[in-house]
Amino acid sequence: MPVPPLSAPFPVFSAVVATLRSAGCVFAEDEARLLLGAAGTPGELDAMVRRRAAGHPLEHVLGWAEFHGARVAVDDGVFVPRRRTEFLVDQARARARPGAVVVDLCCGSGALGTALVTALGGAELYAADIDPAAVRCARRNVAAVGGTVLQGDLYEPLPAALRGRVEVLLANVPYVPTEEVGLLPAEARVHEARVALDGGADGLDVLRRVTAEAAAWLAPGGSLLFETSERQADPATRIVASGGLTPSVVTCDELYATVVVGTR
């Protein structure tokens, strides 16, 4: 449905809302306001509304996501940071000090590391991801806090000098079991990289690889923090313990978030 010119605000707003509602967008009015605010021309607005109505994540259409009180750039195909993951950042903040050495593995857009450094008022941040699109996106966000983004598989691209020095190790690992990826909403299943979603047969494969080496990278007293589902918390804590770390679980009912912490 073509969008009317921007010179007629109310008709434009109504038309955008109607288009989004017909596409099944639950929060059509809120999304319409965001799209109208982001578009510079009627043509841009029309293209953005069409993409959203076709099922593209709102964050990909806008080019940013709201996370931990700030806007984070999110490019097409890159994992969109979830609001519940703000709880993980808060837990990391409670365990870190300004100037800490922070590593953000499976960093995606770099939202977690960037948010933590901002909350701390400064830190030495290294972020890594295996997906080239995520790395390109993360570099735009992490640059704002003076961090470094590296491309590679988990610890592989990190400087060897970081071994035994990492105070906070964030690992937003994929934890959806392979057979359940197909059950995810289309916004995630179709438009986000599968490598950011698929955690293997039980959803814990990547976590096992992270915990197997975590103790060697953490400083004494340092912590590994990752998000998981409530039903995976028990096996996840056993995996953390097998890696030589002391596990604990913290939850947030409001955000439906479960975070496992492994401390060296």
Side-chain angles (χ1 to χ4, degrees):
M1 174 181 177
V3 176
L6 293 178
S7 57
F10 185 73
V12 168
F13 179 74
S14 298
V16 172
V17 170
T19 301
L20 297 178
R21 279 182 178 160
S22 67
C25 297
V26 177
F27 302 105
E29 293 186 352
D30 292 338
E31 293 191 12
R33 292 188 184 94
L34 290 170
L35 293 171
L36 282 162
T41 67
E44 287 180 4
L45 178 61
D46 187 46
M48 293 172 77
V49 172
R50 289 180 184 275
R51 288 189 68 208
R52 179 60 181 138
H56 290 262
L58 177 65
E59 295 82 1
H60 287 170
V61 176
L62 294 172
W64 56 267
E66 186 80 21
F67 185 78
H68 213 263
R71 288 186 177 183
V72 177
V74 182
D75 297 336
D76 287 353
V78 175
F79 183 82
V80 176
R82 281 30 169 185
R83 181 168 176 260
R84 65 174 176 269
T85 311
E86 293 178 357
F87 182 64
L88 190 155
V89 174
D90 291 337
Q91 293 304 308
R93 171 67 183 88
R95 293 164 170 80
R97 60 172 181 83
V101 176
V102 175
V103 168
D104 183 0
L105 291 185
C106 306
C107 71
S109 65
L112 276 67
T114 300
L116 178 57
V117 173
T118 301
L120 289 171
E124 185 179 342
L125 173 64
Y126 297 85
D129 202 289
I130 198 170
D131 179 14
V135 169
R136 288 193 297 270
C137 182
R139 283 179 175 148
R140 295 165 56 201
N141 293 312
V142 170
V145 296
T148 299
V149 182
L150 304 162
Q151 183 178 336
D153 185 22
L154 299 181
Y155 302 98
E156 180 269 328
L158 297 180
L162 290 180
R163 284 182 172 270
R165 294 185 53 230
V166 179
E167 296 171 58
V168 176
L169 175 55
L170 302 169
N172 197 22
V173 297
Y175 58 88
V176 179
T178 301
E179 291 187 354
E180 297 179 20
V181 172
L183 304 177
L184 292 173
E187 288 185 7
R189 174 170 39 84
V190 176
H191 298 287
E192 294 178 331
R194 185 169 182 121
V195 70
L197 303 170
D198 191 341
D202 63 354
L204 300 173
D205 282 359
V206 182
L207 174 62
R208 290 185 180 92
R209 296 179 57 218
V210 169
T211 55
E213 297 186 49
W217 291 88
L218 288 172
S223 295
L224 161 69
L225 300 96
F226 59 92
E227 183 180 274
T228 190
S229 68
E230 183 178 4
R231 65 186 169 89
Q232 292 169 313
D234 285 345
T237 57
R238 290 193 292 272
I239 292 170
V240 169
S242 70
L245 304 177
T246 302
S248 60
V249 179
V250 285
T251 61
C252 176
D253 293 337
E254 179 185 354
L255 295 176
Y256 195 61
T258 299
V259 168
V260 177
V261 181
T263 303
R264 179 184 167 193

